[in-house]
Amino acid sequence: MSEGKKSVYKPKPVSGFPEWLPEVRIVEQQWLDHIRRVFESYGFCSVETPSVEELEVLHAKGEVDKEIYVLERLHKEEGDKEARLALHFDQTVPLARYVAQHWDKLVFPFKRYQMQRVWRGERPQAGRFREFTQCDIDVINNDTLPLHFDAEMPAIIWEVLNGLPGMEGQKIQVQISNRKILIGLLDSLQITDEMHVTKVLRAIDKSQKIGYTNVNLEIDAVLKGHPKLDELHHRLGLFTGYVATRFADDRMKFIAYADSLDIDSNIFRAGVRELEAVIKSIPPHIPNDAIVVNPELVRGLDYYTGTVYETVFINDPTYGSICSGGRYDDLASQYINKKLPGVGISIGFSRLFSYLYEKGALPVGAKSPAHILMVLPSEEERATAAKTADILRKNGFNVELFHAAKKIPDQLKYASRKGTPFVWFPFADGHQVKNMTTGEQKPADPQTWKPEKENINEAA
Amino acid sequence: MSEGKKSVYKPKPVSGFPEWLPEVRIVEQQWLDHIRRVFESYGFCSVETPSVEELEVLHAKGEVDKEIYVLERLHKEEGDKEARLALHFDQTVPLARYVAQHWDKLVFPFKRYQMQRVWRGERPQAGRFREFTQCDIDVINNDTLPLHFDAEMPAIIWEVLNGLPGMEGQKIQVQISNRKILIGLLDSLQITDEMHVTKVLRAIDKSQKIGYTNVNLEIDAVLKGHPKLDELHHRLGLFTGYVATRFADDRMKFIAYADSLDIDSNIFRAGVRELEAVIKSIPPHIPNDAIVVNPELVRGLDYYTGTVYETVFINDPTYGSICSGGRYDDLASQYINKKLPGVGISIGFSRLFSYLYEKGALPVGAKSPAHILMVLPSEEERATAAKTADILRKNGFNVELFHAAKKIPDQLKYASRKGTPFVWFPFADGHQVKNMTTGEQKPADPQTWKPEKENINEAA
């Protein structure tokens, strides 16, 4: 390479791996802090697991149909024998493995939250994340798990989502059902073959995406020639084709409706009773239309066995669920000979965050966490400026000391470009502080200074 | 597979990928919170980059000798053409790429912190991490960067490390030098060949590990037959073989010593002057033996061009550096045609945390963040218990509602096993709260209750 001429590799964004500028990252941190605060306020403990699991752990429940990233050491040598490692694609499999592995050291019911990145080895595609953050809460118990936890989940989620900065203008709705209701409906027609049940449920799960006509065609294909097919369509019609809002003004309406139907199946009845118990446990302060029954809801994943949840924007339901979950009777039996029922829910953090970002709804402001920029009036005054900054830091403020004794207007411009709300002047003849929002500048004592009330949120 | 008999895949820890039980994770979170708080108090903004970079980005500076994990999609099909992605092995390369990519949207000096996991595709080996967390701060500027930032780095690190829960019994020492000093020493003997300089510096860098005799043998091998070899050993002897504590009581002593030597090199003199400027900028509140000059220090990495740092336990220096960094004149020139000098330092978080864990020095306590366990006296009183829990949550407490109306002693036992400091009884004839540390139980009002002073840290 000839001297003086450098080869430059111009980097570009990697499709599916988002990153944010500092001013957006600050809001992302506020979101993560808020979510964590609410989760902890209900006594959930934090767990983080490694980014990888052994491929055998991911396969323990059978073939994985998710796209997975497997790791390869770049400098691996022939003959190196190692377990194959893959990046986790969700936080439920790692939780199951964690609970099985540390079972004797955990206190049950085990209530944990987990906020980590997960990866899907998808083909690069616009709008499709290949790395994203999920925020999960789950409760796991030995042998049995009270249904009250199934009611606690959507209540927590409602509190979390409504407290996120930027969500003020969005109306979200948690939808809830119980898988046993539709499984019981099939059972009442002697459709009990596991493969048939799974395929019918998966078809129904897609109704928002593909429409009822296509759902029905799929069901016809699965149950071709089944003597009860017509009756099945009739009965499904009793539950589907209705948006959840049908029962939005009173969750108990659905229970009365289900009880009025002539569907002979113990599974069906159990599902309705479980749903009733969950509904009755939902805290009274939550508005009726914030958590509603949606009997169409099944969730695609096989492992849910009872309560299921999804969460949609009321004004944009086609965006799909931003927060989903449910109950599983059997979390970890592939790793341990124990019955460990659980219930959990997962916020699709990155999906939700970037949705609001795209809409311009996030309160994106300062490019730095500094509350105060400390002016450096001259090199001689550096010690005073540094000491003043230290005093203010001890009082809980984030203080950036300007790095060079440039002209004051240049230093003010820097604060303004970074969005720093206050600028401090450590003048020899008395300290002053300038409120960058109002432009007001007045004398101040670093030992006792507090921002005016209207700025307290920005600066305290 | 026969029914009733399940195949169980017993999971085991994956070598090099640590995970913690909830009670340790709580301390880890306190550490991360504290580090972030200090970084932000100096006005550093948070940046997170994707876990991966394109292999070409990692290679932009030439072959990478670090062990790297490359990603492969499990279900990749023949002919899928995609950029090869690899997990980042540090946070400096991602920072360089980030600054180059977003250069026109950042405000300079750009002060960022980054606390993420990084990966090294090492062969599995006891005690060697393959996934670990680093906490980095760096300042990047256009064209020039004042040396004051080189002094701010160790001051921030000193504040960070001394405030970590569990570090009270540890004495750490930040060691500082300037690479130009040893490079200038070689220059004074006309040893300027880049390969020779690099190899000699790398040999000196290993002195703590391999001892001076072996360092000298390595230098002999590199410079075999060089006419100034004997003189080099003599001059190196003036700087090495001394522990940093030689200059521990007064950092300026080293400057006087270096100035007294007859070493004719502009590079050497520039290094001494830079180090002097940095030393003089170290805030006066930092004890002399907390930041000391160690002229042996060079750091193995090529990209440092001036100030360098390492941090050791004074009582266990052989554990190696827990926090290292330095100045680089040229961070991102492989990605952008700009001169972007920077200075940064990185805490080896996982190494440090697990070191203290192994020593039993971490304040490991409660298994949950709950301040209060709300007793459920009977199913009839569930609504009262839930409402009381809500009131206390609004007042800032983390409250776990016990899940079943079990006998009171069972509920107390649960709180005790989780380490929850207070238990609340929402009795119909008046609320009571029990302090689990003192055993004291007394009437309390959920609207106004606050923990006694001695428990305020646990519960507020």
Side-chain angles (χ1 to χ4, degrees), chain B residues 103-116:
Chain B
W103 183 84
D104 56 336
K105 293 179 203 78
L106 304 176
V107 180
F108 291 90
F110 180 57
K111 302 168 75 171
R112 85 89 178 78
Y113 72 91
Q114 191 162 352
M115 298 164 61
Q116 286 186 253

Side-chain angles (χ1 to χ4, degrees), chain B residues 343-390:
Chain B
V343 61
I345 196 162
S346 171
I347 302 172
F349 182 92
S350 302
R351 269 191 94 231
L352 180 58
F353 187 78
S354 42
Y355 178 79
L356 290 194
Y357 175 77
E358 297 293 338
K359 279 179 106 75
L362 296 179
V364 176
K367 291 174 191 290
S368 131
H371 304 123
I372 301 167
L373 179 78
M374 181 64 55
V375 162
L376 184 63
S378 69
E379 269 309 325
E380 294 69 45
E381 287 163 284
R382 187 180 279 274
T384 311
K387 204 181 149 192
T388 310
D390 270 344

